[in-house]
Amino acid sequence: MNYNRVVCFDLEMCCWNVDGVGTTGEIIEVGLAEIDLEKGAIVKRAQYYVRPEKDDISEFCTELTGITPRTIRKQGRPLADIIQSMIKNFGGPNKIYAAWGRDDLILREECKNKGLEIPFKEFVNLATLYRIQNRVKNKRIGHRAAQEAKGIEWEGRQHSGYVDAYNLAKLALVLL
């Protein structure tokens, strides 16, 4: 296990808003940003679009994430291929993975449903770590608000897995 490197990741899923209630479906994007804790730097980034097997990209989802059905048709690959790319390019089970919240459970469940191995063994929930470090007990705080509270400027469009993973890596360098 490489404890000097942490792979921050963010997932975007198919999503719908029906009568003000949001629901999500299959993963459509995985954004990754690897940090080197010794160097204190982001050392690698990647963005993978996932072609869902059952779900469609709604207009609401496109507005929220910027991901269009055309993007998925042209650049999307099966989740199995994305998992292999994550292992090959980011070290898979040899690295610690981190997300804001429980994206690990979302990925784990979808992998289970599709008969795939999860690409990592170690996971850190940075939202929980932030709440512990900052004594925020009974209040949910979003990634962007937490980052801005630490004086770290948000860069790019929120709800892009690639952008969110990059911003999370900047925050992780402060938290870890």
Side-chain angles (χ1 to χ4, degrees):
M1 181 65 60
N2 186 340
Y3 292 98
N4 294 320
R5 297 282 184 107
V6 177
V7 179
C8 298
F9 75 102
D10 184 76
L11 305 175
E12 298 302 327
M13 284 83 63
C14 290
C15 52
W16 305 269
N17 186 346
V18 180
D19 298 326
V21 178
T23 58
T24 59
E26 291 176 279
I27 297 166
I28 55 173
E29 182 190 9
V30 180
L32 302 114
E34 184 172 336
I35 60 174
D36 183 313
L37 295 173
E38 282 187 1
K39 293 179 182 175
I42 298 168
V43 294
K44 190 185 306 188
R45 293 176 70 188
Q47 176 180 43
Y48 301 115
Y49 289 110
V50 183
R51 187 179 314 121
E53 292 177 4
K54 299 176 286 191
D55 294 335
D56 294 320
I57 311 295
S58 69
E59 188 175 308
F60 170 79
C61 191
T62 295
E63 289 172 16
L64 182 68
T65 67
I67 300 169
T68 65
R70 183 171 192 247
T71 300
I72 296 299
R73 274 194 313 276
K74 290 184 142 259
Q75 299 177 47
R77 297 185 292 146
L79 183 60
D81 292 357
I82 302 308
I83 298 295
Q84 289 307 310
S85 292
M86 289 170 69
I87 292 168
K88 178 182 176 201
N89 297 320
F90 289 88
N94 299 320
K95 299 275 178 65
I96 299 166
Y97 277 62
W100 188 266
R102 295 309 309 261
D103 279 10
D104 64 312
L105 296 179
I106 295 166
L107 184 58
R108 189 177 307 278
E109 185 65 22
E110 191 159 333
C111 283
K112 178 182 164 193
N113 291 340
K114 294 180 177 178
L116 305 171
E117 291 288 324
I118 190 94
F120 52 84
K121 289 186 170 79
E122 296 287 333
F123 174 77
V124 176
N125 180 343
L126 294 173
T128 298
L129 182 62
Y130 179 89
R131 282 195 298 276
I132 291 168
Q133 289 179 351
N134 294 279
R135 305 296 189 257
V136 180
K137 294 180 184 172
N138 300 320
K139 184 176 142 191
R140 183 181 154 122
I141 185 164
H143 167 201
R144 185 172 184 157
Q147 182 167 320
E148 290 172 349
K150 290 289 184 185
I152 305 166
E153 184 180 342
W154 185 274
E155 295 180 55
R157 178 195 176 122
Q158 196 169 8
H159 300 298
S160 156
Y162 185 69
V163 169
D164 290 356
Y166 171 72
N167 281 296
L168 186 60
K170 294 190 324 181
L171 179 59
L173 286 168
V174 172
L175 297 179
L176 302 173

